[in-house]
Amino acid sequence: MKGFNIRTNIDDMDFDTVYQFLSQSYWAKGIPRTTLRKAMMNSFCFGVFDEQKKQVGFARLITDKATFAYLADVFILESHRGMGLSKWLVEIIVKHPELQGLRRMVLATKDAHGLYSQYGFKSIENPEMLMQIWQPNIYSD
């Protein structure tokens, strides 16, 4: 996308920008800095950067890059929304060469079903097969 680029080198990520956004998000509110740093270091991260090399978006995959991936923490800063950057980011992730041939890629979203369905994501078939340990208030306990 003209004027922007996406990078996957963890050293390129602006941790403070990512932390500022995620620590206020509905899904990771209050996440400790050390927890986010550990999560990023152990994930396949994608950063969206503008022409001034300022990070304006992010996503990370928890993946073995062979069979499974969980897409998490996807965001575009509010100042850069409406430009198609989230669509571009998801497209780049889904088409990334290191992620081809995965048996399953999943995500959880409260309100972006329309975005993800454009790239092949569908509701879980047979959700009764899936189980979870869910601690939604873990960062505030």
Side-chain angles (χ1 to χ4, degrees):
M1 178 165 283
K2 188 170 174 57
F4 295 90
N5 64 68
I6 293 176
R7 297 191 291 239
T8 59
N9 185 331
I10 191 68
D11 295 329
D12 292 339
M13 304 301 146
D14 180 344
F15 180 81
D16 289 332
T17 295
V18 175
Y19 178 76
Q20 179 64 34
F21 185 92
L22 291 178
S23 67
Q24 300 302 311
S25 69
Y26 74 81
W27 65 89
K29 188 166 187 67
I31 188 170
R33 292 178 72 85
T34 55
T35 301
L36 179 59
R37 191 173 309 278
K38 183 177 182 181
M40 288 174 65
M41 294 304 295
N42 289 293
S43 297
F44 188 25
C45 297
F46 292 76
V48 181
F49 298 84
D50 67 13
E51 288 178 322
Q52 290 76 42
K53 300 181 181 175
K54 181 180 182 315
Q55 188 160 1
V56 299
F58 179 78
R60 70 184 181 93
L61 283 166
I62 300 101
T63 184
D64 59 13
K65 297 183 182 177
T67 64
F68 179 82
Y70 180 85
L71 180 57
D73 296 337
V74 180
F75 73 84
I76 299 295
L77 294 179
E78 193 162 341
S79 60
H80 287 76
R81 293 183 187 162
M83 304 165 91
L85 293 173
S86 61
K87 291 179 181 180
W88 182 49
L89 176 58
V90 174
E91 180 180 4
I92 293 294
I93 292 168
V94 170
K95 291 182 175 179
H96 194 282
E98 292 185 58
L99 301 171
Q100 300 312 296
L102 297 177
R103 184 164 182 226
R104 183 174 301 209
M105 184 183 293
V106 298
L107 60 84
T109 183
K110 182 168 96 174
D111 55 9
H113 298 78
L115 167 65
Y116 297 111
S117 66
Q118 295 175 56
Y119 300 95
F121 288 91
K122 299 176 182 162
S123 295
I124 301 288
E125 291 184 32
N126 305 313
E128 66 277 1
M129 292 175 54
L130 299 176
M131 298 177 70
Q132 66 182 353
I133 296 172
W134 189 42
Q135 302 176 74
N137 299 315
I138 195 163
Y139 305 134
S140 61
D141 288 346

